Amino acid sequence: MQNQNPTLVFLAGIGNSGPEHWQRQWFERETDRAVWVEHSSWDEPVAATWVKELDEALAAVQGPKVVVAHSLGCTLLAQWARAKAENPALADVTAAFLVAAPDVAGENFPTQAEGFATDAYALPLPFPAVVVASEDDPYGSLEHAETAAGQLGARLHNVGSLGHINASSGLGDWSEGWQLFQDALKA
């Protein structure tokens, strides 16, 4: 993933990532080189709208970008990459760190999320990526993460039993995750 001073683009999942979430804490720490993608509806996401909002946010950032996605943000990035394969903004995304990618076809996938493709992870990403998974994530099994990583052409990292790897997991700023992210950028 080797990147020289990229802008970090944070993609949160449904409901957004609050102040106790590692993703928000990383953003606050790296705010001088970070962008938070905002959505018009955090609680009732529509894939086409979220794809458009991501596309606009990425186009507004000059230079190399590394996406740091959590949960539905992972699905969004994969779906965006498929939909926007010919988009010039895509060339500037140099890597992605995908944490707790949900199974869109899974029984716990939020019913209020509309239009997210069950095969969103089916094609390789055009940039290096790491999929970080937990063994007891209620929104996506480790088997799902292994399959998604393989289809995306990404490396998989199993962090053990950390639930959905969110604020409810009690991770704080998740220093182990930050180190994993830094190591991935150097690879």
Side-chain angles (χ1 to χ4, degrees), residues 48-128:
T49 303
W50 275 32
V51 165
K52 181 178 181 278
E53 290 164 344
L54 172 57
D55 196 45
E56 291 169 353
L58 290 172
V61 176
Q62 298 297 312
K65 299 171 256 308
V66 173
V67 176
V68 179
H70 179 260
S71 193
L72 192 57
C74 300
T75 310
L76 170 62
L77 181 65
Q79 199 156 329
W80 171 84
R82 288 178 67 177
K84 302 296 180 179
E86 301 299 320
N87 188 322
L90 187 60
D92 287 342
V93 175
T94 59
F97 191 71
L98 309 173
V99 179
D103 182 351
V104 178
E107 64 183 42
N108 291 330
F109 189 77
T111 57
Q112 65 270 37
E114 295 181 19
F116 290 90
T118 56
D119 65 346
Y121 308 115
L123 296 175
L125 291 170
F127 40 79

